[in-house]
Amino acid sequence: MKFIIFGAPGSGKGVYSTRLAPKLGIVAIATGEMFRNIAKDSSPLAVQIQEIMSRGALVPDDLTIELLKKELEKPEAQNGFILDGFPRTLDQAKALDSVAKIDAIFNINANRDIMIEKITARRTCNKCGEIYNIANIDKTIDGVHYTMPAMMSKVEGKCDKCGGDLVQRADAKPEVVEERLRVYEEQSKPVLDYFKDKVPTIEILANEAPDVVTEKTMEKIRAAGLDK
Ligand code: AMP
């Protein structure tokens, strides 16, 4: 099965795609993760991508589409995938349409204030990309209760999985987060509408601990017969 996971920055796309993918026997492919890896060295391309990401802007479509197509050709993607962070523009959506038939989309619904709180409290392993979060949220907004416990590592600042250092992403500064949310509203929301008309949508309400939300989402996926 081939899925796209949608959601604003900070809504938990990385958390849910990496939890859902193994349960579905498929891989999670995150373009943001791809770009963060490319941006690690000091090549001209790395410097160009660092500059774009540090502003909260989008990497040009031609480069993004080329990289994504290569990812989709890899043997591990042949069983199916969840795309996290792609497509983000209508041109990317059309390019994807030409190479893969998407079965359904997962759409994460999260409150804007909660997303901002979560995004600034997120810590990412600089080696394996595992995600942690130091915010402990327990409050009601507009009638919805949010119980989202912190996701801490056992040893402060160190990844449980690989021992790498936990760092705050360079694009987690408040002004960059605002820009990423603005870009999402302007360029990526239309992509969601484009797919909503074509394929089934599984709605994810991200207001509880990730394991609980993941299990509730799996129930919806099974009920829709999308787990085969
Ligand atoms: P993410 O981890 O998905 O929030 O992505 C982090 C950053 O990587 C974004 O703010 C963009 O600068 C870049 N990026 C990730 N995916 C894409 C994409 N599909 N198109 C363009 N830029 C992207």
Side-chain angles (χ1 to χ4, degrees), residues 1-4 20-21 23-26 79-82 101-107 199-203 217-228:
M1 288 282 175
K2 296 171 181 154
F3 303 106
I4 305 172
L20 290 166
K23 290 182 188 293
L24 293 163
I26 57 181
N79 266 347
F81 49 75
I82 304 177
K101 196 196 151 300
I102 298 302
D103 294 292
I105 57 178
F106 304 150
N107 181 37
V199 296
T201 308
I202 300 285
E203 297 288 351
T217 306
M218 277 306 297
E219 279 167 24
K220 289 187 185 179
I221 292 172
R222 284 186 208 107
L226 291 164
D227 58 329
K228 309 285 171 345

Side-chain angles (χ1 to χ4, degrees), residues 91-112:
D91 279 347
Q92 292 180 14
K94 287 173 191 159
L96 177 64
D97 259 351
S98 69
V99 290
K101 196 196 151 300
I102 298 302
D103 294 292
I105 57 178
F106 304 150
N107 181 37
I108 308 177
N109 299 277
N111 172 277
R112 186 186 166 92

Side-chain angles (χ1 to χ4, degrees), residues 31-32 35-36 53 57-59 64 85-86 88 92 169 180:
T31 40
F35 289 134
R36 276 186 289 283
M53 290 175 87
L58 293 183
V59 176
T64 307
F86 187 98
R88 258 177 157 100
Q92 292 180 14
R169 270 170 49 177
R180 287 165 63 200

Side-chain angles (χ1 to χ4, degrees), residues 18 38 48 68 75 79 89 101 104 122 134 136 160 166 172 175:
T18 52
I38 296 172
Q48 185 199 350
L68 193 272
N79 266 347
T89 64
K101 196 196 151 300
R122 182 194 287 160
I134 59 173
N136 199 6
D160 291 346
L166 304 186
E175 63 278 17

Side-chain angles (χ1 to χ4, degrees), residues 2 24 38 41 59 80 87 107 110 120 124 132 148 155-156 158 161 164 169 171 182 193 204 211 218:
K2 296 171 181 154
L24 293 163
I38 296 172
D41 62 36
V59 176
N107 181 37
T120 43
T124 309
Y132 299 84
M148 304 166 84
V155 177
E156 198 185 327
K158 295 282 174 200
K161 283 198 171 162
R169 270 170 49 177
D171 58 1
R182 193 193 63 74
D193 298 335
I204 302 179
D211 286 346
M218 277 306 297

